[in-house]
Amino acid sequence: MAAGAVSPAGRWLLRRRAVWQVAELAWLAPRGLHDALAMNAARSGYRVFSANSTAASTELAKRITERLGAELGKSVVYQETNGETRVEIKESVRGQDIFIIQTIPRDVNTAVMELLIMAYALKTSCARNIIGVIPYFPYSKQSKMRKRGSIVCKLLASMLAKAGLTHIITMDLHQKEIQGFFSFPVDNLRASPFLLQYIQEEIPDYRNAVIVAKSPDAAKRAQSYAERLRLGLAVIHGEAQCTEQDMDDGRHSPPMVKNATVHPGLELPLMMAKEKPPITVVGDVGGRIAIIVDDIIDDVESFVAAAEILKERGAYKIFVMATHGLLSADAPRLIEESSIDEVVVTNTVPHEVQKLQCPKIKTVDISLILSEAIRRIHNGESMAYLFRNITVDD
């Protein structure tokens, strides 16, 4: 056979391929080119679902999909009469990247079960990747051993992996070491650029402000804010700050027993009891705007106490800024009756009801960074741009 000649079998294959192409075009012509492209995008693209069963909790998911120019995936999440959670996926997800947006309302355990069941439903529906977008990661305060307790955060990480999640996008984890609990990648985004922008644009005369840490544990975060805003720093230290049960860990277990039997040859050094100093403000806040920064505002009593101390020291205006505004129990009432002028939180957690109860609560939208993270992960792009000018202490 001459060079370049096509065999009879080859000619037959070429004719068959041409026939199939013509038939495919004839089938697609009535549907339109746009529909054909949409089908291809759906076949190899991504979908965004919301795992919340309450309308108030889906607000952030709607903002994210609007920025992405996409629609929320079709699913039904509801509670049966016996309290069980049921999830039904109403469209094909085979071979696609699936992003589950789950904001955590007051009913934390129900939200966790909704996320787990939806992830497992998508896994059994042959989704290619299942990425959880969990702006506020629940149980993050239970990331250390406390006496005879347990590290619940690690348990939750294992449950999410078992349910089928392959990646998580979250924001301002309570402890950055929590990322080590997971067996898959975790992108811990930061809300500080949005809060810093709010300070610069919404607080008049912010140059006369001082960044305040309400306890020594929050000093690194406060220092990061102060350095980027070129402002002073103050730290509240002393007896009034009792956070997280004095940071007990497993070394305090078992508890001391009065009549414990001691081995005659064993003489351990006597440990001095911890005694907190009187309340002190390290730094000058007189005649200044005080801006208290933290990652979570839940029980606001410590923030209210800090505001009273700052007022006594001469601060004439007090702002509280945090990423996650849980604002549990009587938080709105306590804030309204306190010396705090404004509480600024992001919409990682729904708190519309609390805003109605207390006009001092303001919200900063962070859907922009979450939508960009989704786009970059799906396209396989670097996430470094989202962490520019972000310090380790944020």
Side-chain angles (χ1 to χ4, degrees):
M1 185 178 294
V6 181
S7 66
R11 285 195 296 272
W12 182 83
L13 286 174
L14 289 172
R15 284 198 301 270
R16 295 295 295 174
R17 183 177 298 173
V19 169
W20 277 109
Q21 288 175 347
V22 172
E24 185 177 8
L25 288 173
W27 179 74
L28 289 175
R31 303 174 61 89
L33 181 60
H34 182 271
D35 290 347
L37 293 174
M39 287 182 62
N40 289 333
R43 194 174 296 127
S44 61
Y46 69 93
R47 299 293 292 163
V48 180
F49 286 84
S50 174
N52 288 110
S53 58
T54 57
S57 299
T58 59
E59 182 63 29
L60 180 60
K62 291 177 181 177
R63 287 175 177 265
I64 291 172
T65 51
E66 285 175 4
R67 291 184 179 275
L68 290 169
E71 295 182 357
L72 274 176
K74 298 175 183 177
S75 64
V76 178
V77 182
Y78 62 96
Q79 313 301 319
E80 294 187 339
T81 54
N82 61 358
E84 292 182 356
T85 300
R86 184 175 290 274
V87 176
E88 297 176 5
I89 308 299
K90 297 294 187 178
E91 60 181 288
S92 174
V93 296
R94 183 179 296 272
Q96 296 187 48
D97 292 335
I98 305 299
F99 295 85
I100 308 174
I101 301 173
Q102 181 68 325
T103 52
I104 306 298
R106 290 194 177 191
D107 192 354
V108 177
N109 295 330
T110 298
V112 169
M113 285 306 300
E114 289 171 348
L115 177 61
L116 291 170
I117 294 172
M118 177 168 277
Y120 190 67
L122 292 166
K123 176 184 177 182
T124 54
S125 298
C126 299
R128 181 173 61 178
N129 293 306
I130 305 172
I131 300 96
V133 182
I134 314 171
Y136 168 65
F137 195 80
Y139 289 99
S140 58
K141 284 191 173 183
Q142 299 189 48
S143 59
K144 296 182 180 180
M145 181 66 73
R146 306 195 186 287
K147 296 187 178 180
R148 293 191 178 91
S150 60
I151 306 177
V152 184
C153 194
K154 179 169 173 42
L155 171 64
L156 180 56
S158 301
M159 292 167 65
L160 292 173
K162 190 68 175 178
L165 263 69
T166 58
H167 197 142
I168 275 184
I169 303 170
T170 188
M171 182 164 282
D172 282 333
L173 287 169
H174 187 57
Q175 300 287 342
K176 297 175 183 63
E177 294 79 5
I178 290 174
Q179 296 176 77
F181 293 162
F182 294 87
S183 57
F184 50 77
V186 176
D187 285 310
N188 182 28
L189 304 176
R190 307 293 199 276
S192 58
F194 297 91
L195 297 176
L196 290 168
Q197 183 181 22
Y198 185 93
I199 292 173
Q200 293 173 320
E201 295 179 356
E202 302 296 332
I203 300 180
D205 195 23
Y206 81 92
R207 290 291 183 188
N208 189 37
V210 59
I211 304 298
V212 180
K214 71 177 181 68
S215 69
D217 295 331
K220 287 186 176 180
R221 181 186 301 273
Q223 181 181 359
S224 174
Y225 276 62
E227 289 176 351
R228 280 185 284 176
L229 291 169
R230 312 294 193 268
L231 298 177
L233 175 67
V235 180
I236 299 175
H237 177 57
E239 192 173 356
Q241 303 302 318
C242 301
T243 58
E244 297 194 11
Q245 299 179 357
D246 293 334
M247 303 300 289
D248 290 339
D249 57 25
R251 290 172 292 181
H252 291 267
S253 179
M256 294 179 61
V257 181
K258 291 183 179 180
N259 298 323
T261 304
V262 180
H263 191 277
L266 183 63
E267 294 185 3
L268 295 176
L270 180 64
M271 297 298 293
M272 298 294 294
K274 185 169 75 170
E275 183 177 348
K276 292 188 177 181
I279 195 72
T280 307
V281 178
V282 182
D284 182 21
V285 297
R288 302 280 191 90
I289 300 172
I291 303 175
I292 305 173
V293 296
D294 213 333
D295 62 330
I296 299 174
I297 301 179
D298 188 5
D299 181 5
V300 300
E301 291 180 357
S302 60
F303 291 93
V304 171
E308 293 295 333
I309 294 163
L310 292 170
K311 275 287 186 184
E312 292 174 3
R313 298 297 194 277
Y316 71 90
K317 217 168 199 179
I318 298 170
F319 291 80
V320 176
M321 312 200 77
T323 303
H324 311 296
L326 305 186
L327 304 171
S328 303
D330 293 333
R333 179 182 61 81
L334 294 173
I335 292 170
E336 186 66 25
E337 297 173 355
S338 72
S339 302
I340 298 172
D341 293 281
E342 198 168 280
V343 173
V344 183
V345 292
T346 71
N347 56 345
T348 56
V349 177
H351 51 262
E352 294 304 317
V353 174
Q354 291 90 328
K355 287 178 69 175
L356 293 174
Q357 297 171 350
C358 177
K360 292 182 179 181
I361 301 172
K362 308 297 181 184
T363 306
V364 175
D365 181 26
I366 44 81
S367 60
L368 174 64
I369 192 171
L370 292 174
S371 60
E372 181 63 14
I374 290 174
R375 189 192 67 79
R376 285 175 176 269
I377 288 175
H378 171 66
N379 293 333
E381 299 176 20
S382 172
M383 297 284 283
Y385 179 78
L386 303 182
F387 294 93
R388 70 193 190 286
N389 300 327
I390 297 295
T391 63
V392 177
D393 298 326
D394 263 6

